[in-house]
């Protein structure tokens, strides 16, 4: 299988969550070209579930990848850059899919003892495909006994495996707030309620939730990634919208941060005599690695001489956390050595990591050391 060619082809057709139609067709075509005698394939919305029958199965192993892109205008300078204006695989899901296809090729040409489900999950970046997929009849019928996944990590050398037991990724919640006040002439502020000022005050105030309300030994993040509002430079804005994300290391801290955000909204409404409509969008449960399976995977990597690093938890989110809430398993970082990070328009992961990841995942599945 031409991993590099596949990754580059996928890189050219990024699609947003639940719109991955070309991606799904591309993946199905690749899967159809594999030996079919041990395969069964199902689609679920824009995702795909593939079962590979083992030679003498005791259990079913699950491996999941995500397939959606981000609304980012690519600036890599690649000759194979995205053909979809304003959309890019800026979080490495082109790598994730290629690795899952490579794994399928190995499993079909070198069958292992256990059954394997390979999951191509849509909409990880939003609105979240893991939870509805997990609850679907298609998935329930094939629910594996253990499950694992990876995410590329630009900060580690290509091919490095970085992992820890327990909490790996944070709880996340999106944050959307629409402020509605009274517009007016720029020269008569006393006759209006300026929503650019109200939204700006809110954005600066809420950082004190992290610095003053959260236990400093805990950790949280509130990032506002987008603000829009108003109509023209000399018209006081009647409306403004902020879009952001909240991160917390426990579900309890997430609830507490949200309570504080709501208190600040009430304060802004009173002070600026406006209305604020709040929407938490997609919420992801923390990624919590099963201790026993993670240690078995770490021992396998060490014994096989795969470069292993024990990493700290990260404030990134992943809806794979929902799979791990129900099924024992783990997620790990795969080093891809890129100067630019995740979600950057210049992300350029090192393609050498792809073959390495396939070797590690297939090797671990074939080793039987997961039971
Ligand atoms: C690995 C990674 O970058 N994941 C995303 C998940 C997005 C969650 C959701 N859309 C949000 O923005 O809260 C991340 O931003 O961490």
């Amino acid at each position: 299988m031409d991993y590099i060619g596949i990754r580059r082809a996928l890189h050219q057709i990024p699609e947003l969550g639940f719109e991955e139609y070309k991606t799904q067709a591309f993946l199905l075509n690749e899967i159809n070209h594999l030996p079919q005698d041990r395969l069964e394939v199902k689609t679920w919305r824009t995702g795909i579930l593939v079962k590979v029958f083992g030679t003498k199965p005791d259990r079913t192993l699950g491996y999941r990848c995500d397939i959606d892109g981000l609304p980012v205008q690519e600036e890599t300078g690649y000759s194979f850059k995205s053909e979809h204006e304003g959309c890019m695989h800026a979080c490495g899901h082109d790598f994730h899919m290629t690795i899952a296809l490579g794994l399928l090729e190995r499993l079909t040409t070198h069958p292992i003892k256990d059954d394997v489900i390979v999951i191509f999950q849509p909409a990880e970046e939003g609105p979240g495909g893991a939870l509805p997929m997990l609850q679907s009849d298609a998935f329930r019928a094939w629910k594996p006994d253990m499950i694992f996944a990876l995410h590329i990590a630009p900060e580690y050398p290509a091919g490095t495996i970085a992992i820890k037991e327990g909490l790996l990724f944070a709880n996340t919640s999106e944050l959307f707030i629409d402020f509605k006040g009274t517009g007016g002439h720029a020269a008569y502020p006393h006759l209006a309620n300026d929503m650019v000022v109200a939204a700006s005050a809110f954005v600066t105030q809420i950082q004190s939730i992290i610095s003053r309300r959260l236990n400093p030994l805990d950790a949280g993040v509130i990032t506002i990634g987008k603000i829009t509002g108003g109509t023209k430079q000399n018209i006081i804005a009647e409306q403004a919208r902020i879009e952001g994300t909240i991160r917390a290391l426990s579900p309890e801290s997430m609830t507490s941060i949200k309570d504080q955000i709501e208190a600040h909204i009430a304060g802004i409404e009173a002070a600026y005599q406006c209305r604020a409509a709040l929407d938490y969008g997609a919420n992801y449960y923390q990624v919590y690695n099963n201790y026993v399976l993670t240690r078995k995977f770490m021992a396998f990597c060490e014994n096989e001489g795969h470069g292993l690093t024990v990493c700290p938890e990260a404030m990134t989110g992943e809806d794979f956390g929902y799979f791990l809430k129900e099924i024992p398993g783990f997620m790990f970082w795969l080093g891809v050595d890129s100067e630019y990070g995740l979600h950057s328009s210049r992300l350029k992961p090192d393609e050498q990591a792809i073959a390495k990841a396939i070797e590690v995942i297939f090797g671990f599945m074939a080793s039987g050391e997961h039971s």
Side-chain angles (χ1 to χ4, degrees), residues 1 27-41 50-54 100-111 116 118:
M1 187 176 265
L27 293 169
L28 285 171
N29 184 50
E30 290 297 325
I31 294 164
N32 287 339
H33 281 88
L34 295 172
Q36 297 293 303
D37 47 322
R38 291 187 174 276
L39 281 191
E40 198 176 328
V41 182
V50 186
K51 183 162 187 172
V52 191
F53 292 93
L101 284 174
L103 173 66
L104 276 175
E105 186 208 29
R106 291 295 296 274
L107 290 167
T108 51
T109 54
H110 300 80
V116 177
V118 178

Side-chain angles (χ1 to χ4, degrees), residues 91 124-125 151 172-174 245 247 284 316-318 342-343:
C91 204
E124 185 274 331
E125 297 292 352
H151 202 293
T172 71
S173 171
E174 295 176 347
T245 178
R247 310 294 163 106
Y284 293 173
T316 37
E318 247 284 359
L342 299 176
H343 296 191

